[in-house]
Amino acid sequence: MSKPAAISPRNRLAGLGEARHLGLVVALVLLAVVGLVTKFDNFATTSNIVSILTLAATIGVITVGATFVIIGGGIDLSVGAVMALASVWATTLATQSYGPWVMMICAVLVGTGAGLVNGLLIAYGRLVPFIATLAMLVAARGLAQRMSDRKTQLIQTDNSAIVDLSTTRLLGIPLLVYIFALVVVLGWVVLNRTTFGRRTYAVGGNPEAARLAGINIRRHTMLLYALSGFCCGIAAILIMARTTTGSSTHGDLYELDAIAAVIIGGTLLTGGRGTIIGSILGLLIFTLITNLFILNGLNTSDQLIAKGLIIVVAVLLQRRNLKERAP
Amino acid sequence: MSKPAAISPRNRLAGLGEARHLGLVVALVLLAVVGLVTKFDNFATTSNIVSILTLAATIGVITVGATFVIIGGGIDLSVGAVMALASVWATTLATQSYGPWVMMICAVLVGTGAGLVNGLLIAYGRLVPFIATLAMLVAARGLAQRMSDRKTQLIQTDNSAIVDLSTTRLLGIPLLVYIFALVVVLGWVVLNRTTFGRRTYAVGGNPEAARLAGINIRRHTMLLYALSGFCCGIAAILIMARTTTGSSTHGDLYELDAIAAVIIGGTLLTGGRGTIIGSILGLLIFTLITNLFILNGLNTSDQLIAKGLIIVVAVLLQRRNLKERAP
Amino acid sequence: TSNEPAAAPSSAAASNPAPAPSGNDQPGTKVVIGFSAPAADHGWIAAIAKNAEAAAKQFSDVEFKPVEPTNDINQQISAVESLISAKVNALVILPNDGQQLNQVALEATAAGIPVINLDRIFPDKLAYRTWIGGDNYGMGVAAGHYIGKQLKDKGVANPVIVEIQGIATLPLTQDRSKGFADALKSYGFSVTAKQDAKFTVETGNSVAASLLQAHKKIDALWNHDDDQGVGVLAAIKEAGRSEFLMVGGAGSLNAMKEIQSGTSVLKATVTYSPTMASSAIKLARLIAQGKGMSDLVENQVPQSITLASETITKENVEKYLPLGFES
Amino acid sequence: MLVMRGIVKQFPGVRALDGVDLDVEAGEVHCLLGQNGAGKSTLIKVLAGVHQPDEGTIEFNGAQIRASSPIDAIRLGFATIYQELDLVEGLSVAENIFLGHEHARAGWMNRGAANRAAAEVLTRLGHPEIRPKAEVGRLSPAAKQVVSMARALSHDARLIIMDEPSAALAHDEVANLFRIIRELTAQGVAVVYISHRLEEIREIGDRVTVLKDGRTVAVGLPARDTPTSEIVSLMTGRTVEYVFPPRATGSPGDEVLRVEHLTSPGAFADVSFEVRAGEIVGLAGLVGSGRSEIMEAVYGARRATGRVVLDGETLRRGDVVKTVRKGMGLAPEERKAQALLLDQSVTANITLGSLPGFATFGWIDRARERAEARRLVEMLDIRPPDPERPIKTLSGGNQQKAVLARWLLGGRKLLLLDEPTRGVDVGARAELYAVIRGLAEQGIGVLLVSSEVPEVLGLSDRVLVLREGTVIHQGDARELDEHDVLDMIMNGRAA
Ligand SMILES: Nc1ncnc2c1ncn2[C@@H]1O[C@H](COP(=O)(O)OP(=O)(O)OP(=O)(O)O)[C@@H](O)[C@H]1O
Ligand SMILES: Nc1ncnc2c1ncn2[C@@H]1O[C@H](COP(=O)(O)OP(=O)(O)OP(=O)(O)O)[C@@H](O)[C@H]1O
Ligand SMILES: [Mg+2]
Ligand SMILES: [Mg+2]
């Protein structure tokens, strides 16, 4: 098993340039070249790049949380459903009557709360993360449907401040892309520069060793899920801004996308290893593929087939690269 | 982590009575009691029980394969899509012209073939199982859509022998339930009484140790995915029998259901531990829940909320039971 | 486009009868029509996509520009954004959810691109130039009237009426159910039980199987969608039930053949024809070229066009067969 | 300073501790002795807050204490080096050392300070070459052991517990460790020291407590003066001659293994030797000299160039499956990571290497399998003698025996034993020596690695001395003594 250094600090600083991310970067560049060749006029425009980032933002924020959970040895299947629940709760008429700030706080609180419940069930109720968060997925979707009466809830004009996150631009870039960037940077800092982050690796890599070293692994595990829920809350704000609605259908299958991005980014499902940068690169690959398909107007079946192949090739590229570096 | 012996033969023989399955059995019994209390006339009928088993059969067969893969330390996300592809391939006009036997063989071959590709990518291409089978999921759905031109392909009257599997009854039970039972029994025997099964535990529990003990872990891993694909092929036959069609939409989200059943049945996602009986009990719990909801006319939102709660309670029951038995 | 040469579906060809000698079909200025719809994992939606493409192909002055169909709101927004930045002359949008895509449709209109809203409606009239779609409420009413009348004629008192819906979170499902209930009310009847499926054969099959267990005697069953209807019919056959009459929805070829046979429980279906996509493309072309509808007096295309839902029975099925779409 | 009274700890089906007493005084090295499975590790885990005792009291500096978690124990000033290496492979050396008590302000890590402090501790341990930034997963077992020790030292501990710290260490490393222990005790720190090597106890220990079957059988014996025979009979309840079985008298048989010019860049170069049927060949060398790598390469588990011939047949490189089928077996160095299926029964672990022998067309004859497993459990005296127990509930030494048992099945021609006696107690060791010699007498070739030079010399017929990946001496074991070998290893001078 030739695995690269996960934590050598020089590597970490280098970030994008790291060996284990090189494959992903190469895959991204290749995709970009394909984009340039096939649709030069549309692909290389600022507006298209902004559009890719905007598309990536919602899932991106969730992916940051998912990276923490997975490095910590867990898994969170409930992310999409929790985001939906947060968006619905924040857009009920009752909440909307308090204005945009309360709505945003509400979304974040609901997300964090649901994450906390996951965390309690897993850390103290000792449920397997897969099952606990699956139950949360199901229950949160049900609750969201019940709250919204299965209707899409529009954000009222008084609260259009939220929508402004997606329409207001700073230097040509919508605010929500900045929020995405901020979450990524914060996530990176917490993971790499704080005791919380380093302990996350320990809890995921060798929980017994972490416990023997005096780390409260239960509390830490609980916090990881709360963090993931918190990210879902932020994502709920972004999806509300983007769609101007709260709905129980938001975030369908986000869990698969987020986990796939994390894994393709080199984080092990077994925990203890991984990076935020890898996850975000993985996510961008997926988003870029979709964007290219949109631009080229491929039909869905071919798209799916191509997507499958691209995923395999991207990962093989990454693996090959790793192998050469660390025989 | 106080868990009981995974393979102590005495335990294994006891099967249902085992400590670690007791929680699941208790949960099943509780659900049955709820069914009897709320809908006595409808629930306790033979036809309803047969109906539950029929509904469980398709996913059940897939769950057997998934149990092998997960005990072997892997994961197979492509099961639903591979089943869909097999059902579509078997119901193209070209295949149908050769009659029902060829159709069935076709379904099994397509399933096994797709599983083999998964296995090759994972064992020899060294892709992470999550990614390889995710790519297969996407690609197989795409291929199924392309082949069927997104249409539902009806089984023609000449080939109604396949449909007979669901309509012909032996002792009041449709043939497809017998097929399900047969697959479960065979799966149990292979897992518990053969070198293949024993090696599966070894490969999943400690691949390095298995390798140094002279087990060809790559070949074994490949075979595990082929086996899972084979099960998907069988499942395709069952779904064709039940719906009288092949379609690219079949088996949507089966991967989640199958994995959830396996995990709730006590198999570890990290591999090396688990039982077929647990998986099937887990699956029956899920099927029973849905059946009860529909009998009682609950709406979907409430169903979802209740389902989340029941999952948590079932698992807590199981855990508590373990704890009492093995402190 | 890179699409395979579409084997022009018979339905589309039939729905576009020889150009009326009105001059409207004479080549005019060249226009680019963008098209965005949900993922074609369903016969009806697939027919929509195919009809749109086939309609566009008939005109030498139309460049058809479809984007990746998707079931993710976020991605559909991006897709439409990409069409806006590609500066198409007109946009035909079948949104996953009208409310959630309202914002981006507004953007398109603001950018001077006329939006032809297909079927699922945008709440904001500013968001589109013309709406064309089916009458979901009317569809429910048609089904309700047919069933009401049949049961009344048979003199059934307190009938057991069962409803199998499509995806519960779609507004169209809620409209259909409301129409159904309202029409039944006029006969003094009400719906005994309803459950939602997911527009697929398989979900139709399992929901129906359980519903048949829940109700030992049924008088009438309305299934919202003929795609899932294939599965519903298979379940009915498997259970060997025939004591009730069934009504379908949408008007697939398969359903019509069942009706025609006269031996099936399926006695009627209420249309919701995907031919509306062909009309939408035609309208888009006219609007982009500044033409009106030559059969009408007005110089411009009307603001909204609602298709009537017709009831197909054994008596009139011949007439509708050419319009049926393959599910 | 520390007084434990009547400690009882029950595991399902086992009473691991059955009323143990322990007194430790400040500034002393208190040795804990006992056979495999006597309860030593369990006792210190109770002390470290890992296990909660079912009965009994613990007093520390006169006050009754209760460590309900490792955190509590650390706060009380107890630092522990556990028997099984418990490090986080994905983290760096420095991060491992300070895990749980990081150099941080409000959660923000001061990585510079941590790295400096780690370098300091490592230097103190005599290992300045281990970089604080290196990833622990890539270190050799010996280096990991050093990191474990560094972690214990990084705490300001008043009591340091060491569970077989020397098991993964070679001779000079142990000397280093002892220097540190002396420094600590001079400062009044108490050390609880567990080892199966009696000569170490003699050298470093002050007093000895002996455990047998979960009970204290002797308290506070003077470590230096108590006769070996007395200690051994206390531990085992009988007298064991700590001697090696006599070598075979006849001349060795045909060549079983020939290794030619085996080279693996960075690990070893141009290694050639042969092993004959009935012969035990020992590899001696420092930790890191590439002995394990040579074994892995011979076994086909590691890439290398050169030729490996087993019984006249050249083996394809990198094909473990074929190698095993041809009759080789390897008992690897890190049993937990490389050999054990922790969740599985002792039986399943024993038969893993020879499953086809128990099966017809893949169908396992379970009665025969169980009978064989039971035979081996009895033969090697694996305790508790229940072949159906999950192997993870066995003590370290008993697990090691099960790993050996795996290769006693299936008619092996050549066995590669990497540190076969690591963590095995005195009594069992003698038995194992006899078993290994017995195997050789049946005509099996044995290649042996041990970090204990007397063991290599005493057990082998022929010895290869390695230094930095090259063979610097090959010869009859009887012609060498410990001093010669150490001299060669240290100075690279051939005798
Ligand atoms: N978690 C556990 N569950 C069940 N039994 C256990 C567990 N841990 C230890 N035991 C049992 O407790 C007894 C004492 O084990 P312990 O590890 O303390 O022995 P030890 O003296 O350290 O032996 P060694 O010298 O081999 O390391 C053994 O019989 C062992 O099988
Ligand atoms: N996975 C690895 N990656 C990088 N270097 C390694 C790896 N494994 C071993 N090494 C290096 O190879 C050399 C030999 O390793 P090792 O300590 O196993 O030798 P040894 O002679 O078997 O010693 P021991 O007595 O510990 O068995 C050391 O320098 C070690 O650091
Ligand atoms: Mg021990
Ligand atoms: Mg070694």
Side-chain angles (χ1 to χ4, degrees):
Chain A
M1 307 281 113
S2 53
K3 279 169 210 145
I7 53 110
S8 151
R10 257 165 311 136
N11 277 357
R12 230 191 288 128
L13 268 180
L16 286 180
E18 266 182 71
R20 81 205 122 118
H21 292 150
L22 212 60
L24 294 174
V25 173
V26 169
L28 263 181
V29 169
L30 284 183
L31 284 173
V33 169
V34 171
L36 287 175
V37 170
T38 53
K39 288 278 157 175
F40 183 76
D41 328 339
N42 300 323
F43 182 78
T45 58
T46 333
S47 83
N48 189 46
I49 291 166
V50 166
S51 153
I52 292 173
L53 290 176
T54 319
L55 183 57
T58 322
I59 275 221
V61 169
I62 287 180
T63 303
V64 171
T67 307
F68 273 87
V69 169
I70 295 178
I71 291 177
I75 196 152
D76 190 350
L77 298 178
S78 69
V79 286
V82 167
M83 183 188 85
L85 178 62
S87 82
V88 165
W89 204 314
T91 53
T92 53
L93 290 180
T95 321
Q96 292 217 28
S97 66
Y98 293 100
W101 284 105
V102 172
M103 288 169 67
M104 292 199 232
I105 293 170
C106 169
V108 171
L109 285 183
V110 170
T112 313
L116 212 55
V117 172
N118 278 335
L120 285 169
L121 286 175
I122 292 161
Y124 297 94
R126 301 234 205 110
L127 291 191
V128 196
F130 190 95
I131 295 294
T133 58
L134 180 71
M136 176 58 80
L137 184 173
V138 176
R141 280 246 182 261
L143 200 58
Q145 286 185 12
R146 202 159 213 282
M147 265 196 151
S148 65
D149 199 16
R150 294 182 188 157
K151 298 206 169 78
T152 303
Q153 300 176 160
L154 274 175
I155 294 181
Q156 293 163 336
T157 37
D158 321 352
N159 296 323
S160 61
I162 289 183
V163 181
D164 292 348
L165 289 178
S166 120
T167 49
T168 309
R169 286 164 186 248
L170 210 73
L171 308 173
I173 298 169
L175 290 181
L176 63 79
V177 173
Y178 289 99
I179 298 182
F180 171 34
L182 191 71
V183 171
V184 171
V185 170
L186 280 181
W188 187 90
V189 166
V190 170
L191 191 57
N192 291 294
R193 291 286 180 270
T194 68
T195 53
F196 183 85
R198 302 325 285 171
R199 288 176 178 185
T200 302
Y201 283 96
V203 168
N206 191 341
E208 184 61 14
R211 191 171 81 95
L212 296 181
I215 292 173
N216 190 336
I217 54 173
R218 293 212 180 156
R219 202 189 53 182
H220 196 93
T221 303
M222 187 188 69
L223 290 178
L224 285 175
Y225 288 91
L227 178 68
S228 174
F230 173 82
C231 288
C232 296
I234 307 265
I237 298 177
L238 301 190
I239 198 87
M240 289 192 291
R242 200 155 152 68
T243 64
T244 73
T245 61
S247 161
S248 60
T249 62
H250 283 332
D252 195 28
L253 297 187
Y254 271 26
E255 58 278 7
L256 265 188
D257 292 352
I259 297 171
V262 173
I263 306 281
I264 221 175
T267 298
L268 295 183
L269 255 189
T270 43
R273 243 178 247 258
T275 61
I276 296 262
I277 295 171
S279 302
I280 297 301
L281 286 175
L283 177 68
L284 286 180
I285 287 183
F286 280 117
T287 318
L288 205 53
I289 295 177
T290 309
N291 181 263
L292 284 180
F293 286 148
I294 292 178
L295 291 182
N296 285 298
L298 237 71
N299 83 45
T300 342
S301 326
D302 296 343
Q303 266 177 39
L304 289 175
I305 300 173
K307 209 165 186 168
L309 292 178
I310 293 177
I311 295 174
V312 169
V313 171
V315 179
L316 280 179
L317 262 178
Q318 188 186 7
R319 229 189 31 68
R320 163 157 303 271
N321 186 268
L322 279 184
K323 218 172 149 195
E324 275 159 16
R325 291 299 200 102
Chain B
M1 309 278 110
S2 53
K3 277 167 207 147
I7 57 125
S8 153
R10 258 163 307 136
N11 276 358
R12 231 190 289 125
L13 268 181
L16 287 178
E18 265 182 70
R20 80 205 123 116
H21 291 150
L22 212 61
L24 294 174
V25 173
V26 169
L28 263 181
V29 169
L30 284 183
L31 284 173
V33 168
V34 171
L36 286 175
V37 170
T38 54
K39 286 276 157 178
F40 183 76
D41 322 342
N42 297 320
F43 181 79
T45 60
T46 333
S47 85
N48 189 47
I49 291 165
V50 166
S51 158
I52 292 173
L53 289 176
T54 317
L55 285 179
T58 323
I59 269 221
V61 169
I62 286 181
T63 302
V64 170
T67 307
F68 273 88
V69 169
I70 295 178
I71 291 178
I75 197 153
D76 190 349
L77 298 179
S78 70
V79 286
V82 167
M83 183 189 84
L85 179 61
S87 81
V88 165
W89 204 315
T91 52
T92 53
L93 290 181
T95 321
Q96 291 217 31
S97 66
Y98 293 100
W101 284 105
V102 171
M103 287 169 68
M104 291 198 234
I105 293 170
C106 170
V108 171
L109 285 183
V110 170
T112 313
L116 212 54
V117 172
N118 278 335
L120 285 170
L121 285 174
I122 293 162
Y124 296 95
R126 303 233 205 111
L127 290 191
V128 195
F130 190 95
I131 296 293
T133 57
L134 181 71
M136 176 57 81
L137 185 172
V138 175
R141 280 245 182 261
L143 199 59
Q145 287 184 9
R146 200 163 214 281
M147 268 196 148
S148 65
D149 200 16
R150 292 176 202 147
K151 293 194 179 97
T152 306
Q153 299 178 158
L154 279 176
I155 293 180
Q156 293 163 336
T157 37
D158 321 353
N159 297 323
S160 61
I162 289 185
V163 181
D164 291 348
L165 289 178
S166 111
T167 48
T168 309
R169 285 160 189 251
L170 211 73
L171 309 175
I173 298 169
L175 290 181
L176 63 78
V177 173
Y178 289 99
I179 298 183
F180 172 34
L182 191 71
V183 171
V184 171
V185 170
L186 280 181
W188 187 90
V189 165
V190 171
L191 191 58
N192 293 294
R193 291 285 181 269
T194 68
T195 53
F196 185 86
R198 193 65 73 75
R199 286 180 180 147
T200 304
Y201 282 102
V203 168
N206 189 342
E208 179 67 5
R211 186 174 80 101
L212 292 180
I215 292 172
N216 191 336
I217 55 172
R218 293 210 182 157
R219 203 190 53 179
H220 194 89
T221 303
M222 186 188 69
L223 290 177
L224 284 176
Y225 288 91
L227 178 68
S228 173
F230 173 82
C231 288
C232 295
I234 307 267
I237 298 176
L238 301 191
I239 197 90
M240 290 191 292
R242 239 181 72 207
T243 64
T244 72
T245 62
S247 161
S248 59
T249 62
H250 283 336
D252 194 29
L253 297 187
Y254 269 27
E255 58 277 6
L256 265 187
D257 292 350
I259 297 171
V262 173
I263 304 283
I264 220 173
T267 298
L268 293 183
L269 254 189
T270 43
R273 211 204 289 242
T275 60
I276 297 259
I277 295 171
S279 302
I280 297 299
L281 287 176
L283 177 68
L284 287 180
I285 288 183
F286 281 120
T287 320
L288 203 55
I289 293 177
T290 313
N291 181 265
L292 283 181
F293 286 149
I294 295 187
L295 286 186
N296 284 296
L298 237 72
N299 78 46
T300 337
S301 322
D302 296 341
Q303 270 183 34
L304 290 174
I305 300 174
K307 204 167 184 171
L309 293 179
I310 292 176
I311 294 174
V312 169
V313 171
V315 179
L316 281 178
L317 263 179
Q318 189 186 6
R319 229 187 34 65
R320 163 158 304 271
N321 185 268
L322 279 184
K323 219 173 149 194
E324 273 161 17
R325 289 297 202 104
Chain C
T1 70
S2 60
N3 285 355
E4 54 180 320
S10 55
S11 55
S15 64
N16 296 301
S22 59
N24 254 357
D25 287 336
Q26 297 301 316
T29 44
K30 192 150 172 56
V31 290
V32 181
I33 299 177
F35 179 76
S36 171
D41 46 14
H42 178 248
W44 188 85
I45 301 262
I48 284 278
K50 274 177 208 149
N51 289 351
E53 190 171 352
K57 273 229 173 79
Q58 290 187 324
F59 300 103
S60 55
D61 54 351
V62 167
E63 189 194 329
F64 186 60
K65 213 173 160 128
V67 290
E68 184 194 19
T70 166
N71 288 330
D72 184 56
I73 296 293
N74 213 345
Q75 282 185 28
Q76 197 177 15
I77 292 174
S78 278
V80 174
E81 277 170 353
S82 80
L83 287 174
I84 297 174
S85 53
K87 300 200 171 55
V88 295
N89 300 95
L91 262 172
V92 176
I93 306 176
L94 173 52
N96 275 291
D97 178 326
Q99 312 215 30
Q100 300 185 30
L101 263 89
N102 194 53
Q103 178 77 13
V104 74
L106 274 172
E107 270 173 48
T109 308
I113 303 174
V115 173
I116 289 76
N117 183 189
L118 182 55
D119 198 33
R120 300 180 192 170
I121 196 162
F122 296 123
D124 195 340
K125 286 206 169 171
L126 292 175
Y128 59 94
R129 162 67 181 78
T130 289
W131 174 80
I132 175 168
D135 183 3
N136 285 301
Y137 183 83
M139 194 178 165
V141 170
H145 277 311
Y146 182 81
I147 287 174
K149 186 158 179 316
Q150 296 285 320
L151 294 182
K152 201 100 221 170
D153 289 352
K154 273 197 254 172
V156 188
N158 291 326
V160 176
I161 300 174
V162 175
E163 185 184 353
I164 300 180
Q165 306 170 308
I167 297 172
T169 46
L170 292 177
L172 66 88
T173 297
Q174 291 152 19
D175 290 346
R176 288 178 189 181
S177 281
K178 181 145 197 323
F180 188 52
D182 288 352
L184 285 179
K185 211 187 289 165
S186 65
Y187 296 86
F189 298 156
S190 64
V191 174
T192 315
K194 62 182 167 202
Q195 280 294 326
D196 50 309
K198 294 206 175 72
F199 282 151
T200 65
V201 180
E202 193 189 339
T203 54
N205 181 273
S206 28
V207 167
S210 298
L211 270 178
L212 291 174
Q213 290 303 326
H215 304 279
K216 291 290 159 208
K217 188 186 159 294
I218 295 174
D219 293 294
L221 183 155
W222 183 39
N223 166 54
H224 282 206
D225 178 73
D226 286 338
D227 273 309
Q228 67 189 25
V230 177
V232 174
L233 282 169
I236 293 170
K237 269 180 209 139
E238 190 186 321
R241 300 273 290 264
S242 60
E243 80 278 9
F244 54 88
L245 70 96
M246 171 176 163
V247 176
S252 75
L253 199 59
N254 186 54
M256 291 186 199
K257 283 183 182 154
E258 287 274 341
I259 293 168
Q260 197 178 25
S261 76
T263 55
S264 169
V265 287
L266 187 67
K267 298 295 181 212
T269 187
V270 288
T271 62
Y272 198 84
S273 178
T275 54
M276 63 178 74
S278 315
S279 304
I281 295 292
K282 289 190 163 189
L283 291 176
R285 173 176 165 272
L286 293 179
I287 290 170
Q289 292 176 343
K291 295 179 187 160
M293 291 171 76
S294 48
D295 281 343
L296 300 185
V297 180
E298 286 77 17
N299 282 330
Q300 293 290 323
V301 170
Q303 199 271 342
S304 94
I305 299 169
T306 309
L307 307 181
S309 179
E310 296 148 66
T311 308
I312 304 176
T313 59
K314 193 167 170 18
E315 284 68 47
N316 62 7
V317 64
E318 301 289 345
K319 192 170 76 175
Y320 285 94
L321 270 174
L323 291 175
F325 63 93
E326 283 183 59
S327 59
Chain D
M1 180 161 112
L2 177 80
V3 181
M4 296 175 89
R5 285 281 169 266
I7 305 291
V8 172
K9 177 70 195 172
Q10 187 108 25
F11 290 118
V14 193
R15 214 169 160 84
L17 299 178
D18 190 15
V20 173
D21 301 332
L22 181 70
D23 292 88
V24 182
E25 277 157 25
E28 77 162 339
V29 178
H30 196 107
C31 298
L32 213 47
L33 280 176
Q35 282 184 289
N36 294 133
K40 305 177 296 292
S41 299
T42 307
L43 181 67
I44 62 113
K45 281 186 181 163
V46 166
L47 194 52
V50 179
H51 292 319
Q52 303 311 307
D54 298 324
E55 282 168 40
T57 57
I58 307 174
E59 271 176 41
F60 186 58
N61 286 338
Q64 182 112 352
I65 56 156
R66 229 184 83 84
S68 55
S69 74
I71 308 171
D72 295 345
I74 291 168
R75 291 214 183 101
L76 284 165
F78 301 171
T80 312
I81 301 171
Y82 294 95
Q83 181 174 13
E84 301 293 346
L85 297 173
D86 272 315
L87 298 173
V88 181
E89 307 245 308
L91 291 181
S92 72
V93 169
E95 284 168 336
N96 263 290
I97 291 176
F98 296 108
L99 189 62
H101 60 123
E102 296 87 352
H103 290 79
R105 176 166 297 164
W108 185 271
M109 306 243 286
N110 184 343
R111 300 187 309 149
N115 287 336
R116 277 191 300 278
E120 215 168 89
V121 184
L122 289 167
T123 310
R124 192 169 147 216
L125 280 168
H127 283 275
E129 83 286 356
I130 300 179
R131 288 182 303 113
K133 294 177 181 178
E135 186 186 334
V136 161
R138 319 191 95 201
L139 300 179
S140 67
K144 286 181 189 166
Q145 184 67 57
V146 174
V147 175
S148 265
M149 291 193 293
R151 177 197 280 177
L153 291 185
S154 73
H155 290 278
D156 221 0
R158 286 181 287 167
L159 171 70
I160 299 188
I161 306 157
M162 304 183 177
D163 196 352
E164 304 197 27
S166 57
L169 298 181
H171 189 84
D172 59 327
E173 308 277 328
V174 177
N176 232 325
L177 172 64
F178 287 176
R179 184 176 49 74
I180 305 286
I181 292 179
R182 288 194 187 99
E183 276 173 37
L184 289 169
T185 46
Q187 295 160 16
V189 175
V191 173
V192 174
Y193 189 91
I194 300 176
S195 175
H196 288 296
R197 300 179 186 170
L198 285 181
E199 66 280 8
E200 288 179 2
I201 308 287
R202 301 259 183 246
E203 191 180 342
I204 193 74
D206 295 314
R207 293 191 305 151
V208 174
T209 293
V210 182
L211 295 187
K212 180 173 185 306
D213 299 335
R215 289 171 198 272
T216 312
V217 289
V219 185
L221 300 176
R224 268 167 266 273
D225 315 328
T226 315
T228 301
S229 58
E230 187 185 336
I231 292 181
V232 171
S233 67
L234 277 170
M235 278 169 60
T236 61
R238 63 200 154 99
T239 44
V240 174
E241 302 276 307
Y242 185 43
V243 287
F244 297 99
R247 292 191 171 81
T249 41
S251 58
D254 299 337
E255 177 184 284
V256 198
L257 174 79
R258 194 169 71 244
V259 173
E260 291 173 0
H261 311 297
L262 205 61
T263 300
S264 171
F268 55 86
D270 199 20
V271 173
S272 304
F273 62 93
E274 73 279 345
V275 179
R276 296 178 167 279
E279 187 184 36
I280 301 177
V281 175
L283 293 179
L286 282 184
V287 165
S289 58
R291 298 161 303 173
S292 295
E293 279 78 1
I294 291 174
M295 280 206 167
E296 285 174 11
V298 168
Y299 197 55
R302 165 182 283 269
R303 248 176 264 219
T305 56
R307 224 154 78 92
V308 176
V309 184
L310 180 67
D311 226 12
E313 200 176 335
T314 303
L315 295 176
R316 235 181 49 220
R317 269 175 274 117
D319 190 349
V320 179
V321 181
K322 202 60 170 295
T323 308
V324 171
R325 207 175 294 150
K326 290 265 174 290
M328 229 193 266
L330 167 74
E333 173 177 28
E334 286 186 76
R335 60 172 170 261
K336 206 169 169 183
Q338 299 181 297
L340 294 176
L341 305 175
L342 287 172
D343 287 329
Q344 306 289 322
S345 66
V346 174
T347 305
N349 273 282
I350 289 179
T351 57
L352 187 66
S354 49
L355 272 181
F358 293 99
T360 31
F361 298 112
W363 182 275
I364 299 175
D365 178 349
R366 300 192 330 139
R368 201 151 61 81
E369 183 193 14
R370 252 175 284 167
E372 277 293 278
R374 184 162 293 281
R375 183 176 68 82
L376 286 165
V377 164
E378 275 158 19
M379 172 176 151
L380 296 178
D381 193 20
I382 295 175
R383 262 166 294 169
D386 173 10
E388 298 309 321
R389 277 180 89 78
I391 201 157
K392 69 176 166 201
T393 63
L394 264 56
S395 76
N398 283 306
Q399 291 176 352
Q400 182 65 42
K401 290 189 202 168
V403 172
L404 274 180
R406 175 180 298 167
W407 297 117
L408 302 186
L409 287 174
R412 302 290 139 191
K413 292 178 191 144
L414 179 76
L415 287 190
L416 312 175
L417 308 179
D418 198 350
E419 309 279 4
T421 57
R422 188 196 255 197
V424 173
D425 69 52
V426 185
R429 221 171 250 238
E431 287 160 23
L432 276 183
Y433 293 153
V435 167
I436 293 171
R437 179 49 73 186
L439 287 171
E441 274 163 11
Q442 289 166 29
I444 294 174
V446 176
L447 187 62
L448 172 84
V449 164
S450 170
S451 295
E452 288 171 61
V453 176
E455 188 172 290
V456 177
L457 291 179
L459 196 54
S460 313
D461 295 310
R462 218 146 46 76
V463 173
L464 271 67
V465 182
L466 280 159
R467 189 182 143 85
E468 289 170 3
T470 48
V471 181
I472 54 170
H473 177 86
Q474 268 197 59
D476 196 312
R478 274 164 294 203
E479 291 161 9
L480 293 169
D481 65 18
E482 192 177 350
H483 184 77
D484 298 335
V485 175
L486 287 176
D487 213 35
M488 282 189 274
I489 290 175
M490 303 292 180
N491 308 320
R493 262 184 294 137

